Amino acid sequence: AAPPATLVIFGATGDLTRRLLVPALANLVRDRLVRDDRFAILGISFEEGDDETLRAHLAEFCTDCGDAFERLKPHIHYLKGDFLDGATYEAVGAKLEEIGFGNAGFYLAVAPNFFGEIAERLAAAGLLEEREDAFRRLLVEKPFGHDLASARALNVRLLAVLDETQIYRIDHFLGKETVQNIMTTRFANNLLEAVWNHRYVDHVQITAAEIVGVEKRGKYYDATGAMRDMVPNHLFQLLAAIGMEPPNSFDAEAVRTEKAKVVEAIRRVKAEEVDKVSARGRYDAGRIGETEVAAYRDEPNVAPDGSTETYVAMKLFVDNWRWAGVPFYLRTGKRLTARDTEIVVAFKPAPYAMFQETDAVRLPPNTMTMQIQPNEGVSMQLSAKKPGPRIAIVPVDLDFSYADHFKVGRSTGYETLLYDMLIGDQTLFQRADMIESGWAAVQPFLDHWASGGGVETYPAGSAGPAGADRLIRDDGREWHAIG
Ligand code: BG6
């Protein structure tokens, strides 16, 4: 089990805390990875309240947590405080003393403009000083910066008061089992490694398609857009896992170094090429199943005449030995036809020569699909002979589905991340250099779009804008169907 510790949550009454963090902690208690008598939560927010009001507020979303929440409950404390007031930090210090565990993780579940400020104030109050029996760690939610310059500035600010080993930058995709499985699938199967390179791989597709629109997040999303929201963080984590060299071990630095190298190798696109290698769209009114849904411009807190994209597709190259010349097509969007996060590795077709005299017009290329969500699993498409007197070749699937093989308990995806922070394992957290390389790779796109450039529209419930199809078709390829 994890060592005794207090998790101090800034933004304790927000959505993240009650929807994800507390249910995840309850699951850890259930699984005995965290012992309730050696754990405390100290929630901070500017709202009026006391321990009991916070406990009741959190209980509302922990209806499935059962006994585990009940056990955790007496160890939940509340502190009303202004994040910008020194007195708050004195009170946090006093409360930590009173709780009595030296170890503390400070979770910033707050708007990003507070990140630097809170870290500096924690430091000024002496709360970030580590002792042998007291770790002090900072967990930072996304968005980590708004562009390359702001991400760098935030790293500088945090690193002025913390050591890199104390900073846990969260990318919740890394908490997903299927994302963690990419490394095992690649490196525990010798079969794959031999063909996992530019000699055999034709291209890679990374998709994160969502059915949901911007929901109540119009204010954040309209200032952010699909590129910033999903690409330099979540999609690049997938790209890094697919593209990385085998690390020497599971050691956090070994793994993070290999991942960072892949992102660092993403070719910087020139401004004049941006339009050629990307497509942007925003959703119009449409239909999802039976439901009519509104256009993005009519969503609450969205500027109707703005140019924020809700969909982006792009073609990237990873300029290293392994991936020389292999295009990586990335796409993500809201209000699409299905929820589907997946990676498709498409292999070059086998030589056709011996099939010339058969009915086969072409050989379907082999693909390997890693289904991140939903219907988690891995499948491979092979070619087989259709039974009958003639040689007819058809694609068939080899399928592995998580649901068939494992009894997976209910989880939020934050369990591993919180547990790893408590035991001091940074493998699944983003290191400063990787964050900056991620932003550096998308910066030319952001710059180009800031100076104009159109956004297509696509009907809600469709597969995205026409430009995205053109992008890949011009190369003689097709997107894998969404859903
Ligand atoms: C978040 C984005 O980081 O990831 C959201 O801000 C997006 O806009 C979400 O919906 C997707 O995550 P998941 O786990 O639902 O695929």
Side-chain angles (χ1 to χ4, degrees), residues 396-451:
V396 293
D397 278 341
L398 294 184
D399 261 326
F400 148 64
S401 138
Y402 273 70
D404 293 346
H405 282 261
F406 304 113
K407 247 182 105 158
V408 190
R410 197 169 36 78
S411 100
T412 64
Y414 272 78
E415 287 80 358
T416 318
L417 299 177
L418 289 167
Y419 180 73
D420 284 358
M421 182 282 292
L422 291 170
I423 63 168
D425 182 344
Q426 291 187 296
T427 314
L428 299 179
F429 296 86
Q430 308 190 81
R431 210 168 58 185
D433 54 341
M434 176 148 169
I435 295 231
E436 292 180 14
S437 306
W439 279 114
V442 301
Q443 195 62 49
F445 294 86
L446 299 175
D447 290 343
H448 183 70
W449 296 336
S451 62

Side-chain angles (χ1 to χ4, degrees), residues 141-142 171-173 176 208-210 212-213 215 217 220-221 229-230 233-234 334 339 341 373:
E141 266 294 334
K142 68 175 278 252
D171 182 317
H172 81 281
F173 264 47
K176 295 180 193 290
E210 298 186 275
V212 292
E215 307 187 288
R217 301 162 73 222
Y220 156 78
Y221 197 87
D229 190 41
M230 296 292 288
N233 34 61
H234 307 327
K334 295 204 181 281
R339 173 162 169 79
T341 308
Q373 64 191 13

Side-chain angles (χ1 to χ4, degrees), residues 273-291:
E273 290 168 357
V274 168
D275 290 335
K276 227 171 49 204
V277 298
S278 67
R280 290 203 300 160
R282 55 202 246 142
Y283 60 81
D284 208 339
R287 210 170 236 290
I288 304 224
E290 295 299 296
T291 319

